[in-house]
């Protein structure tokens, strides 16, 4: 059904909606309030990347809306982690927003106290061993006890702004390898970090490091009630 309506949009939305100074409307900065035109433009982006049936439309459009609102990003890369999906499925997606293509899709671990196969509980507290939702900027890399790792800067006060204090970083882990699923029925869990398969850790980290946007999504009304990036008006439009 979504594919049908997206096809209709191509016929009736004027070309000026999608192009401004040689850029897609979805790769230009957008106003505070998400308009119907902007949502439609992002629907075109979604379809151009062949994401239907692969990536949640709701999670994607929220990620894109927040991406445009974060003015201090330095990279045209967007990472979406969709915790509405089980750990047994691919739920981390990396997009090149300028080239309009998906670069990576992978399984990813959530915090051990966030849930079993599904992540359903989230926290910003030190020692909670839970994942935190919301928007982040990626920072620099380092070699730690989990190998090559990426510092994450949580942008939302009270939601994920203690990420550095909690040492919430992206790293590779043996428990995040897909082979673990066949043994325990779910992926292994972290202390709150988005841990990825060891073989993908360096390629993904090198792609997203240095100021790109990451959005960790879940069906969590409490997040939307507090978010300073996806405010109430934006949520209503999404």
């Amino acid at each position: 059904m979504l594919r049908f309506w997206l096809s209709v949009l191509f016929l009736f939305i004027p070309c000026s909606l999608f192009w401004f100074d040689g850029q897609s409307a979805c790769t230009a900065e957008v106003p505070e309030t998400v308009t119907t035109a902007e949502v439609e433009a992002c629907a075109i982006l979604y379809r151009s990347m062949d994401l239907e049936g692969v990536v949640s439309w709701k999670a994607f459009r929220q990620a894109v809306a927040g991406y445009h609102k974060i003015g201090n990003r330095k990279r045209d890369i967007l990472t979406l982690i969709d915790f509405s999906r089980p750990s047994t499925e691919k739920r981390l997606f990396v997009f090149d927003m300028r080239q309009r293509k998906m670069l990576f899709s992978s399984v990813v671990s959530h915090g051990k106290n966030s849930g079993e196969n599904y992540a359903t509980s989230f926290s910003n507290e030190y020692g909670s061993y839970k994942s935190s939702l919301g928007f982040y900027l990626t920072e620099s890399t380092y070699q730690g006890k989990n190998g090559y790792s990426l510092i994450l800067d949580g942008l939302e006060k009270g939601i994920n702004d203690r990420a550095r204090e909690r040492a919430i970083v992206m790293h590779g882990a043996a428990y995040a390898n897909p082979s673990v699923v066949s043994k325990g029925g779910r992926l292994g869990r972290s202390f709150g970090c988005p841990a990825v398969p060891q073989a993908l850790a360096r390629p993904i980290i090198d792609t997203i490091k240095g100021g790109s946007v990451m959005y960790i999504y879940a069906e969590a009304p409490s997040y939307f009630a507090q978010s300073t990036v996806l405010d109430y008006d934006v949520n209503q439009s999404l």
Side-chain angles (χ1 to χ4, degrees):
M1 182 61 71
L2 177 60
R3 185 177 295 277
F4 168 77
W5 286 112
L6 293 177
S7 299
V8 172
L9 288 174
F10 271 115
L11 297 176
F12 293 102
I13 298 174
C15 292
S16 59
L17 173 63
F18 307 110
W19 298 97
F20 179 76
D21 290 340
Q23 287 189 328
S24 159
C26 275
T27 58
E29 294 301 323
V30 298
E32 286 290 310
T33 302
V34 175
T35 66
T36 300
E38 289 154 4
V39 173
E40 290 170 344
C42 288
I44 300 301
L45 176 64
Y46 181 82
R47 187 170 187 266
S48 72
M49 290 184 179
D50 294 323
L51 301 182
E52 188 171 3
V54 178
V55 178
S56 162
W57 160 240
K58 184 176 181 180
F60 179 78
R61 64 187 180 179
Q62 289 179 9
V64 171
Y67 166 87
H68 289 307
K69 292 188 70 177
I70 297 169
N72 56 338
R73 55 183 165 82
K74 300 176 182 178
R75 306 281 307 281
D76 295 320
I77 300 293
L78 171 63
T79 302
L80 167 63
I81 296 176
D82 182 359
F83 278 154
S84 69
R85 295 187 173 191
S87 69
T88 51
E89 294 182 8
K90 291 182 178 181
R91 53 183 184 171
L92 179 148
F93 309 96
V94 179
F95 309 104
D96 185 321
M97 300 296 282
R98 183 173 294 276
Q99 297 297 322
R100 297 185 172 196
K101 62 182 180 180
M102 184 164 68
L103 303 177
F104 295 97
S105 63
S106 173
V107 296
V108 60
S109 291
H110 56 254
K112 62 183 295 186
N113 288 340
S114 280
E116 294 291 329
N117 194 23
Y118 284 86
T120 57
S121 182
F122 307 96
S123 177
N124 192 38
E125 295 302 315
Y126 182 85
S128 68
Y129 298 152
K130 294 183 180 182
S131 299
S132 299
L133 300 178
F135 286 90
Y136 299 76
L137 277 177
T138 64
E139 299 293 338
S140 57
T141 62
Y142 69 97
Q143 285 288 340
K145 64 180 181 180
N146 292 304
Y148 194 54
S149 303
L150 174 66
I151 297 171
L152 302 175
D153 185 17
L155 302 180
E156 303 203 64
K157 186 173 178 59
I159 297 173
N160 62 20
D161 61 327
R162 300 181 71 183
R164 282 177 177 263
E165 175 187 342
R166 296 177 60 207
I168 301 301
V169 301
M170 175 175 280
H171 61 79
Y175 59 75
N177 292 327
S179 59
V180 172
V181 173
S182 61
K183 300 176 183 178
R186 60 166 171 77
L187 213 61
R189 297 168 299 171
S190 68
F191 285 171
C193 298
V196 296
Q198 292 166 309
L200 289 177
R202 184 172 288 273
I204 289 177
I205 288 172
D206 282 344
T207 298
I208 71 175
K209 67 183 180 182
S212 73
V213 173
M214 175 183 290
Y215 177 47
I216 301 182
Y217 166 85
E219 293 283 357
S222 59
Y223 164 72
F224 297 111
Q226 300 177 62
S227 177
T228 55
V229 177
L230 296 180
D231 58 34
Y232 179 78
D233 290 336
V234 171
N235 290 333
Q236 293 300 98
S237 301
L238 296 176

